């Protein structure tokens, strides 16, 4: 039977059980979509026109720049609608494919409903806590002078927090919605053409990316414009526009909160199912990956959508939102110190950069077009090369639009050459992004030496595979750190020499230079997310092809797309870590500015020679290791439950291996769903509570020892050390996990003995070890370090 499976000679598929269970009791869509669907189409059109009119009116009352941002975002939404219709117009293939796809969609949507229901309850509870803190906190002199009272500030922050959480949740749902509908269409297209399958997967990922980035930009822009008009900003006796970005911090915190729990819960789900399916199916029973006889296979495919699509959508949404807000804060602060007459360009510059991101990424997505080919892998262009061509187009256009944006918004008579310096800062960020993508690809693609060396280590056993994988992951941290260091120093120097100075003649553009570099790094974020979404869609397509017993030539196409998807997921994680490092540096600087504003005294450096401050650094590093340990342990415990369940079914239902009995897929989905929801609470709570408790306790200590800023300094140290440790740990975990995965894929191409060999079994062990590294702990870490930075901004008054 195993030989038949390897050769694809299974006989008529009608002889096999081909019915897959429904994973939900009723159709599901978020309430906001259910409400919209019940509205008459004409009424809905009128409402949309009214909403668009109101948005543009508020934008026009704020700044022409906001009108430009709104226009680009709305056009991008129409482009994403076109991509949706294009993808959904493709056929779903034979009935057996549709049945499998329906089961995956049911399981993914059911888990999403439960998971985000839990997250929303926690968000409401945390919102009440924030409201209580802000009602009794101090306010800055600027807020007091503008008439912004404690109560108004509290409600603005909580509303921004809940709005950010809602937008992040919708971004996650959009990421999952498209993936569970595109996977079967990619599978069907693979029966005809590899290039067509590639194009469908890319355009499906592009739809999600454009919506996520567009929502992040639109959300910040709408919140800024509403507050600008409502508070009468820049009028006599009111708040200045340079102080307004500080009120948006709650939006970034809400996005971070949802992204962290989405990444934790989705990562635990997908990797526990994957580990359970591999250990029993591949290793113990010797059946191929995604074999329909494996009871955990549907749970594994469901996990790809909730972990790699929904969670990644929320993750990138949070990255862009945090970067935009921190850059707006630093831009406003610098404009205020330099006495720039019209600071709106420096404040709104991040929104324009990401608006152009939507444009250039759309061009890159549409540059990947379908061409006639024979459908035989050996005669078509490498899919990775095709994606890289699209990325090259996007980068080229991003450089041009970034230069245009800096000349438009950052030109000032006080320093006529400043815009050019900031344009070069953006170029530094773009080059950094490309370097991160290339480095991650080098260490995770089996075309290169590191992964092939890892695969060779598998030929001598399981232990040597693990040793080689860990050493590869440790080594892979060196080049990214050098690139980040060079980027930060270069961007800071370019900003510092831009010619912008404060009243005393001191250069002030350094930090804003690093902010511009971060914007440059994320100026192609939509295309990068497209490549990331491509991975799980291709993975799901391969699973559907395997489970529906399609010919070997079809599986060959999806295997190549899946391997490329593993590489793109790894490279985009490296990209996310790099952007998180720069964004965290900006948020840390914004935190120091905010503490100085509340304390009404300078706060420009943190002395780690002070014992309490050094202890704060140790606690920050410890937090990273403890969080990673709990995340990996959660995957291990849940995977044990899956392994026991799969073993039980094979023992109690011996007919499964002969296709005489149908596995209970729903049982495995239920196990990982309930366990992942339970397991995500502890590490998530650790991340939220730790900085607040540490800052508050050291504030009390500082009060009794005569050091009023001790709590703020300890939290600053905690944030610094956590960022450094988190970046290194995330690089190690993501790269090692991706390399283990592709080493297994390389062996499955027929190298070093191929499938079923002892070398392959050792590689499966390595892949199993790497699963919680690359898809649970690693991605959660770069969300964690940004959330730590945003929570310290929101909770800064608690530490004073």
């Amino acid at each position: 039977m195993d030989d038949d499976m390897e050769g694809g000679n299974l006989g008529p598929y009608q002889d096999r059980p081909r019915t897959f269970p429904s994973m939900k009791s009723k159709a599901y869509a978020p309430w906001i979509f259910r409400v919209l669907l019940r509205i008459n189409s004409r009424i809905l059109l009128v409402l949309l026109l009214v909403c668009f009119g109101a948005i543009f009116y508020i934008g026009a009352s704020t700044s022409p720049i906001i009108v430009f941002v709104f226009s680009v975002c709305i056009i991008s939404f129409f482009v994403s609608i076109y991509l949706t219709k294009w993808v959904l117009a493709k056929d779903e293939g034979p009935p057996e494919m549709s049945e499998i796809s329906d089961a995956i969609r049911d399981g993914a949507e059911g888990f999403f409903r439960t998971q985000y229901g839990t997250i929303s309850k926690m968000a409401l509870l945390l919102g009440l806590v924030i409201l209580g803190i802000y009602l009794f906190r101090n306010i800055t002199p600027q807020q007091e002078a503008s008439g912004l009272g404690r109560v108004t500030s509290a409600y603005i922050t909580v509303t921004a927090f809940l709005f950010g959480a809602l937008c992040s949740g919708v971004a996650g749902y959009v990421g999952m919605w498209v993936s569970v509908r595109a996977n079967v269409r990619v599978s069907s297209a693979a029966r005809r053409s590899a290039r067509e399958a590639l194009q469908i997967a890319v355009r499906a990922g592009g739809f999600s990316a454009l919506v996520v980035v567009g929502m992040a930009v639109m959300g910040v822009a709408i919140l800024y414009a509403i507050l600008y008009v409502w508070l009468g900003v820049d009028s006599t006796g009111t708040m200045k526009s340079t102080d307004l970005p500080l009120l948006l911090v709650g939006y970034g915190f809400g996005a971070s909160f949802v992204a962290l729990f989405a990444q934790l819960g989705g990562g635990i789900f997908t990797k526990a199912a994957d580990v359970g399916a591999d250990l029993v199916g591949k290793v113990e029973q010797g059946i191929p990956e995604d074999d329909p006889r494996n009871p955990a296979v549907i749970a594994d495919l469901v996990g790809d959508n909730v972990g790699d699509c929904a969670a990644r959508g929320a993750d990138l949404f949070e990255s862009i939102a945090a970067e935009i807000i921190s850059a707006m804060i630093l831009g406003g602060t610098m404009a205020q110190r330099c006495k720039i007459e019209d600071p709106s360009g420096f404040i709104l510059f991040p929104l324009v950069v990401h608006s152009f991101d939507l444009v250039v990424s759309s061009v890159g997505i549409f540059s990947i077009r379908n061409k006639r080919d024979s459908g035989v892998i050996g005669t078509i262009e490498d899919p990775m090369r095709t994606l890289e061509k699209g990325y090259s187009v996007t980068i080229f256009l991003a450089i041009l639009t970034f230069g245009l944006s800096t000349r438009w918004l950052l030109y000032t008579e006080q320093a006529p050459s400043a815009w050019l310096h900031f344009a070069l800062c953006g170029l530094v960020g773009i080059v950094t992004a490309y370097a991160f993508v290339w480095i991650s690809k080098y260490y995770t693609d089996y075309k290169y030496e590191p992964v092939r060396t890892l695969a060779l280590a598998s030929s001598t056993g399981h232990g040597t595979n693990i040793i080689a994988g860990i050493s590869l992951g440790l080594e892979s941290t060196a080049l990214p750190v050098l690139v980040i260091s060079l980027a930060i120093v270069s961007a800071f120097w370019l900003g510092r020499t831009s010619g912008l100075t404060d009243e005393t003649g001191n250069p002030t553009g350094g930090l804003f230079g690093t902010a511009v570099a971060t914007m440059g790094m994320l100026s192609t974020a939509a295309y990068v997310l497209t490549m990331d979404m491509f991975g799980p869609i291709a993975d799901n397509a391969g699973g559907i092809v395997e489970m529906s017993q399609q010919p070997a030539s079809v599986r060959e196409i999806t295997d190549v797309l899946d391997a490329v998807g593993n590489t793109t997921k790894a490279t985009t994680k490296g990209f996310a870590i790099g952007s998180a490092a720069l964004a965290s540096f900006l948020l840390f600087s914004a935190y120091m500015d905010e503490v100085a504003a509340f304390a009404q005294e300078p706060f420009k450096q943190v002395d780690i020679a002070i014992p309490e401050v050094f202890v704060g650094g140790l606690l920050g590093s410890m937090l990273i290791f403890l969080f990673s340990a709990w995340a990996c342990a959660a995957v291990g415990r849940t995977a044990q439950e899956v392994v026991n369940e799969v073993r039980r079914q094979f023992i109690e239902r011996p007919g499964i291996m002969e296709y005489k009995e149908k596995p209970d897929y729903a049982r495995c989905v239920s196990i990982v769903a309930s366990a992942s929801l339970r397991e995500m609470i502890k590490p998530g709570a650790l991340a939220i509570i730790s900085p607040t408790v540490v800052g508050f306790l050291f504030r009390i200590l500082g009060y009794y020892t005569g050091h009023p800023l001790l709590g703020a300094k300890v939290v600053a140290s905690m944030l610094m050390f956590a960022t450094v440790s988190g970046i290194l740990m995330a690089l190690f975990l993501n790269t090692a996990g991706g390399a283990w995965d592709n080493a297994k894929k390389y062996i499955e191409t027929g190298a070093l003995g191929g499938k079923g060999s002892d070398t392959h079994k050792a590689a499966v062990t390595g892949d199993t070890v790497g699963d919680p590294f690359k898809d649970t702990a690693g991605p959660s870490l770069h969300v964690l370090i940004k959330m730590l930075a945003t929570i310290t901004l929101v909770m800064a008054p608690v530490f004073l």
Side-chain angles (χ1 to χ4, degrees):
M1 177 59 67
D2 290 343
D3 293 337
D4 289 341
M5 285 294 296
E6 294 294 336
N9 302 318
L10 292 167
Y13 191 81
Q14 287 76 9
D15 296 340
R16 317 293 188 219
R18 14 185 352 180
T19 302
F20 295 89
S22 174
M23 303 296 176
K24 64 184 177 186
S25 58
K26 59 181 179 180
Y28 169 68
W31 64 269
I32 191 169
F33 293 105
R34 293 200 299 270
V35 170
L36 291 174
L37 290 173
R38 290 176 185 155
I39 301 175
N40 181 275
S41 58
R42 293 182 180 178
I43 297 175
L44 184 60
L45 179 60
V46 172
L47 290 175
L48 286 175
L49 290 175
V50 171
C51 288
F52 287 155
I55 287 173
F56 278 102
Y57 174 77
I58 295 173
S61 302
T62 306
S63 168
I65 301 171
I66 292 291
V67 175
F68 171 80
V69 171
F70 285 161
S71 301
V72 174
C73 289
I74 290 173
I75 292 172
S76 75
F77 287 145
F78 282 112
V79 173
S80 64
I81 290 172
Y82 167 77
L83 290 175
T84 307
K85 290 185 175 181
W86 187 90
V87 170
L88 296 182
K90 301 297 180 180
D91 69 284
E92 296 186 3
E96 57 267 25
M97 282 188 173
S98 298
E99 289 180 358
I100 299 167
S101 176
D102 289 344
I104 296 170
R105 183 170 67 246
D106 291 349
E109 291 182 343
F111 177 72
F112 182 92
R113 174 181 56 193
T114 307
Q115 182 191 28
Y116 276 73
T118 303
I119 293 174
S120 62
K121 293 174 185 175
M122 293 189 295
L124 288 173
L125 179 61
L126 183 57
L128 292 175
V129 173
I130 295 172
L131 179 64
I133 291 173
Y134 268 63
L135 285 175
F136 297 98
R137 70 163 205 167
N138 296 323
I139 58 176
T140 65
Q142 294 87 345
Q143 292 173 342
E144 187 175 359
S146 65
L148 184 65
R150 216 181 256 113
V151 175
T152 304
S153 176
Y155 280 107
I156 287 175
T157 302
V158 172
T159 301
F161 169 78
L162 295 177
F163 184 50
L166 175 64
C167 290
S168 182
V170 173
Y173 179 75
V174 166
M176 183 205 66
W177 187 90
V178 66
S179 66
V180 296
R181 286 161 178 79
N183 50 16
V184 68
R185 290 167 170 83
V186 175
S187 301
S188 178
R191 298 178 303 151
R192 299 183 295 272
S193 162
R195 186 71 181 226
E196 182 184 353
L198 171 67
Q199 188 183 25
I200 293 173
V202 169
R203 290 198 170 187
F207 156 75
S208 177
L210 293 178
V211 172
V212 168
V213 176
M215 281 186 57
V217 177
M218 195 81 165
V220 175
I222 288 175
L223 196 59
Y224 178 90
I226 289 175
L227 291 175
Y228 188 97
V229 173
W230 179 45
L231 298 174
V233 174
D234 284 338
S235 301
T236 305
T238 62
M239 176 178 284
K240 301 297 182 183
S241 60
T242 52
D243 297 321
L244 183 56
L246 278 172
L247 296 178
L248 307 179
V249 172
Y251 183 87
F253 182 32
S256 299
F257 177 82
V258 172
L260 180 66
F261 282 99
Q263 190 67 71
L264 273 172
I268 293 169
F269 187 111
T270 183
K271 290 302 106 181
D274 194 4
V275 169
D278 283 356
L279 287 179
V280 183
K282 282 186 177 181
V283 177
E284 295 182 8
Q285 299 295 331
I287 58 179
E289 186 174 4
D290 300 327
D291 191 290
R293 294 171 292 181
N294 194 326
V297 70
I298 290 289
D300 184 12
L301 296 174
V302 168
D304 291 333
N305 296 285
V306 298
D308 290 335
C309 291
R312 198 75 75 247
D315 179 5
L316 191 73
F317 177 92
E318 180 269 338
S319 295
I320 294 173
E323 180 265 331
I324 288 176
I325 293 169
S326 59
M328 291 175 76
I329 292 172
L330 292 175
T333 301
M334 186 191 71
Q336 189 176 34
R337 289 175 179 171
C338 296
K339 303 295 182 183
I340 293 175
E341 185 176 349
D342 182 11
S344 60
F346 289 86
I347 296 171
L348 301 178
F349 179 68
L351 296 173
V352 173
V353 169
H354 287 293
S355 297
F356 277 123
D357 173 19
L358 294 169
V359 176
V360 301
S361 295
S362 296
V363 175
I365 292 166
F366 282 104
S367 70
I368 299 176
R369 305 181 64 84
N370 187 21
K371 297 179 182 178
R372 292 183 178 274
D373 59 72
S374 64
V376 180
I377 292 298
T379 64
I380 66 169
E381 186 179 21
D382 180 9
M384 191 67 199
R385 189 177 303 169
T386 304
L387 292 174
E388 288 174 343
K389 284 182 178 179
Y391 188 44
S392 299
V393 170
T394 305
I395 286 180
F396 175 74
L397 294 176
I399 293 173
L400 295 180
T401 56
F402 204 96
L404 175 64
S405 301
T406 53
R407 181 62 180 82
W408 173 25
L409 299 174
L410 302 185
Y411 178 81
T412 175
E413 293 292 342
Q414 294 177 226
S417 63
W419 73 271
L420 181 59
H421 282 247
F422 291 127
L424 292 175
C425 290
L427 182 61
V428 167
I430 293 172
V431 172
T432 301
Y434 185 82
F436 260 85
V437 169
W438 185 88
I439 292 168
S440 299
K441 175 183 162 187
Y442 174 73
Y443 278 107
T444 56
D445 194 331
Y446 61 62
K447 295 176 184 176
Y448 301 100
E449 182 181 357
V451 173
R452 295 200 174 200
T453 302
L454 175 58
L456 183 63
S458 306
S459 63
T460 53
H462 301 255
T464 49
N465 170 278
I466 301 301
I467 293 170
I470 291 175
S471 63
L472 184 151
L474 293 172
E475 178 188 321
S476 69
T477 62
L479 284 178
V481 168
L482 292 176
V483 170
I484 291 175
S485 303
L486 184 61
I488 291 176
V489 172
S490 300
F492 188 88
W493 181 82
L494 284 168
R496 188 175 179 83
T497 58
S498 64
L500 291 170
T501 58
D502 59 17
E503 294 177 330
T504 60
N506 293 321
T508 60
L511 285 177
F512 189 68
T514 60
V516 175
T518 307
M519 288 178 250
M521 190 168 187
L522 287 170
S523 62
T524 57
Y527 189 86
V528 172
L529 180 60
T530 298
M531 292 196 296
D532 190 89
M533 292 289 185
F534 167 86
I537 291 172
D539 192 356
N540 260 216
I544 292 172
V545 166
E546 181 85 62
M547 294 191 72
S548 60
Q549 304 296 330
Q550 298 300 310
S553 60
V554 180
R555 179 69 203 197
E556 185 181 358
I557 290 175
T558 56
D559 277 348
V560 170
L561 295 179
D562 185 17
V564 170
N566 281 335
T567 302
T568 59
K569 285 192 292 184
T571 56
T572 50
K573 286 171 187 171
F575 172 89
I577 293 169
S579 64
L582 292 176
S584 296
F585 178 72
L586 301 184
L587 288 166
F588 176 74
S589 302
Y591 165 75
M592 297 185 75
D593 284 343
E594 186 170 7
V595 169
F598 278 110
Q600 301 181 41
E601 61 178 272
F603 187 62
K604 295 183 178 180
Q605 53 187 319
V606 179
D607 186 358
I608 61 172
I610 299 172
E612 294 88 349
V613 176
F614 183 73
V615 167
L618 286 178
L619 292 175
S621 298
M622 177 272 291
L623 173 63
I624 296 300
F625 283 83
L626 185 60
F627 179 89
S628 302
W630 283 0
C632 290
V635 174
R637 284 190 295 268
T638 307
Q640 288 175 353
E641 295 182 42
V642 177
V643 167
N644 291 332
E645 172 61 23
V646 174
R647 284 174 176 169
R648 182 192 66 78
Q649 290 196 35
F650 277 129
I651 293 172
E652 296 180 3
R653 301 183 182 186
I656 289 176
M657 289 298 293
E658 303 297 328
Y659 292 96
K660 294 178 181 178
E661 292 185 77
K662 184 175 65 177
D664 186 356
Y665 304 108
R667 175 62 181 160
C668 289
V669 172
S670 176
I671 287 173
V672 290
S674 59
S676 59
L677 291 174
R678 180 180 67 249
E679 296 284 358
M680 75 179 184
I681 302 297
K682 188 168 74 170
L686 174 72
I688 294 171
I689 295 172
S690 296
T692 305
V693 170
V694 169
F696 183 71
L697 291 177
F698 279 94
R699 171 193 172 178
I700 296 174
L701 180 62
Y703 175 79
Y704 286 106
T705 57
H707 296 84
L709 291 182
L710 184 62
K713 291 178 180 178
V714 169
V715 170
S717 176
M718 184 180 188
L719 181 58
M720 289 168 52
F721 280 71
T723 299
V724 172
S725 302
I727 290 168
L728 293 173
M729 180 67 82
L731 285 169
F732 162 67
L733 294 174
N734 283 332
T735 308
W740 267 316
D741 193 351
N742 271 349
K744 178 198 70 175
K745 287 284 192 299
Y746 175 61
I747 293 169
E748 288 175 348
T749 62
L752 302 173
K755 292 182 180 180
S757 64
D758 289 339
T759 302
H760 182 238
K761 291 179 180 179
V764 170
T765 299
D767 180 35
T768 302
V769 173
D771 276 338
F773 284 18
K774 67 183 175 67
D775 285 323
T776 306
S780 298
L781 276 178
H782 71 256
V783 180
L784 170 66
I785 60 177
K786 287 178 290 184
M787 198 197 74
L788 289 175
T790 54
I791 196 173
T792 52
L793 267 174
V794 173
M795 298 296 183
V798 177
F799 313 142
L800 299 173

